[in-house]
Amino acid sequence: MPAEMHSSVREIPLSSEPDSSYFLRVDESGRGLAYGFQLLLSDGRHAWSGEASEASVSQEAAELEMSTEKYVQDLREALTGEAGVHSYRFALAPATPDGALTLTYDKVQKDISFRLGSTRLGPVTEPEQIVGALLSRSLERAASLERHNRELREHNLRLRREHVRFGAELERYTSGKEALEAELYARFLHVLNEKKAKMRGLRQTLEQLREAGSGEKRERAAEEPEGDAAPAAVASSGGARSPGLCDDSLIDIGDVAPSRKRRFRRPGALDVAVERAHASRSDSPAAASQPPAAEEVEDLFEDL
C-alpha cells in the first residue's frame, strides 16, 4: 500500500524574474522529505514537474557537511514556507533544448548565501490540468486554514471565558481566605489575651507568695535576736550591780599619777595599819571623830 502523500502550495519569488509570480507545490510521503519529494512549478500558463530521491537528499546533506536532520529542517522551511528564522532565495536556470528548467534554492544568512539544493524540472504536456490542480489545492489549503483559524478563534474565546471564570473564582477564594485569616486572627488574639491574663494572675500570686515568705523570714529574724540578747542583758545588769574592787575605774585612778612612789609592804601590813588606826582613834577622841587621812586610805588601797 503506497504511503500517504502530503501536499503544500506556496508562492515563491524568483530573483531571475522579479516581476513574475510562480507557485510551487511540494508532495512528500508521510515519512518526510528525507525519503524524497516531488515538485510542481507553474506560472499560470506553463507547468514543470520534477522529483528528488532519498539518495539525492542524502548527497546534498553530505556535500554541505550537515546532518540529515538539520538539512531536512532547512529544506522544509525553504520549500513549504513554514515559519523559520532564515530567508531563502529561488532562481530558475535557463531552459535546455528539451524545455527543462533547474530550480535552485539558496539559504541567506546576513550578507552571505549558499546553495541549499536544486531540482531539475521537466515541462508538463497539459499545463491546464496542473494549473487547475494547483487552484484546487490552493482552495483546499485556504479552506483548511480558515477552519483552523475558526477553531483557534473558538479556542481563544473559550480560554477568555475560562479566564474570566477563573478570575472570579480566584477573587472569591481570596475574599474567603482573607475572611478566614481575620477570623483565625481574632480567635488567636482572644486565646493570647486569656493566656496573658492567666500569666499576670500567676505572676501576682508568685509575688504575693514571695512577699509572704519574706515577711515570715523577717519575723523569725526579729524573734531570734531578742531571745539571744536577754541573757546577755541580765549578765551585764548583774555585773553592774556587783562591781569588784578591781574595776576599770580603779585601774584608771591608779594610772592618773604613775610618778607617785609606791610603797611595798610585807605580808600582814594591812592588819598592822588597821590596828594602828584604831589605836590612834581610841587614844584621841578628837581624832576618832575625824575621817581617816587620804594618805592612809591610799596606802590601804595600795596594800589591797
Side-chain angles (χ1 to χ4, degrees):
M1 182 178 180
E4 183 182 356
M5 300 295 291
H6 297 281
S7 300
S8 63
V9 179
R10 64 163 300 189
E11 182 181 3
I12 60 173
L14 294 178
S15 59
S16 58
E17 301 179 19
D19 296 333
S20 302
S21 296
Y22 285 82
F23 298 91
L24 179 66
R25 188 181 79 175
V26 181
D27 298 327
E28 59 177 306
S29 65
R31 296 183 297 176
L33 292 176
Y35 297 93
F37 55 90
Q38 297 176 0
L39 297 180
L40 180 62
L41 181 66
S42 176
D43 61 354
R45 294 173 299 173
H46 306 86
W48 299 266
S49 65
E51 183 179 357
S53 63
E54 180 180 354
S56 63
V57 173
S58 301
Q59 183 180 357
E60 292 284 353
E63 290 178 357
L64 294 174
E65 297 181 354
M66 298 173 61
S67 64
T68 304
E69 292 77 7
K70 176 61 177 175
Y71 178 76
V72 170
Q73 180 181 357
D74 291 343
L75 188 62
R76 180 177 297 278
E77 291 180 3
L79 298 179
T80 62
E82 293 183 358
V85 296
H86 305 100
S87 60
Y88 300 89
R89 184 172 56 196
F90 297 88
L92 279 175
T96 60
D98 59 355
L101 301 176
T102 300
L103 178 65
T104 61
Y105 25 93
D106 302 340
K107 183 177 181 178
V108 180
Q109 290 182 332
K110 295 184 179 179
D111 297 334
I112 61 175
S113 64
F114 62 92
R115 180 65 53 82
L116 189 63
S118 62
T119 304
R120 187 177 182 276
L121 304 176
V124 178
T125 57
E126 296 179 356
E128 295 81 6
Q129 296 180 359
I130 301 301
V131 172
L134 287 176
L135 291 176
S136 299
R137 178 59 186 170
S138 298
L139 292 175
E140 291 176 0
R141 180 62 176 170
S144 175
L145 292 176
E146 181 63 27
R147 287 193 300 271
H148 184 64
N149 290 335
R150 185 170 57 253
E151 291 175 358
L152 290 178
R153 287 193 296 267
E154 292 176 356
H155 182 66
N156 291 334
L157 183 61
R158 184 168 59 254
L159 290 178
R160 291 193 186 98
R161 289 196 296 265
E162 291 180 356
H163 176 72
V164 174
R165 181 171 59 85
F166 290 155
E169 290 183 359
L170 180 60
E171 185 176 357
R172 181 170 58 85
Y173 292 152
T174 302
S175 301
K177 173 178 170 294
E178 293 176 355
L180 180 60
E181 288 179 352
E183 182 181 358
L184 292 177
Y185 186 70
R187 293 181 180 180
F188 172 75
L189 286 181
H190 179 69
V191 174
L192 182 62
N193 292 333
E194 289 183 352
K195 296 295 183 181
K196 287 183 177 181
K198 186 175 182 180
M199 292 175 64
R200 285 194 298 268
L202 293 175
R203 183 175 298 175
Q204 293 177 359
T205 303
L206 181 60
E207 293 294 335
Q208 293 175 359
L209 292 175
R210 287 179 178 176
E211 292 178 359
S214 301
E216 293 178 358
K217 289 182 180 179
R218 286 194 297 269
E219 291 177 359
R220 288 196 298 268
E223 293 176 356
E224 290 177 357
E226 291 180 359
D228 295 340
V234 172
S236 61
S237 61
R241 286 193 301 269
S242 57
L245 294 177
C246 296
D247 189 51
D248 291 342
S249 60
L250 300 178
I251 297 175
D252 293 338
I253 293 174
D255 292 337
V256 171
S259 61
R260 180 175 297 177
K261 184 179 179 180
R262 297 172 181 263
R263 293 182 294 274
F264 297 95
R265 301 177 180 275
R266 298 186 305 273
L270 179 60
D271 299 333
V272 175
V274 172
E275 292 177 356
R276 188 181 299 169
H278 282 291
S280 60
R281 287 194 186 99
S282 59
D283 293 339
S284 176
S289 60
Q290 294 179 356
E295 184 177 357
E296 294 179 355
V297 173
E298 183 178 356
D299 292 340
L300 178 61
F301 274 92
E302 287 180 357
D303 293 336
L304 291 174

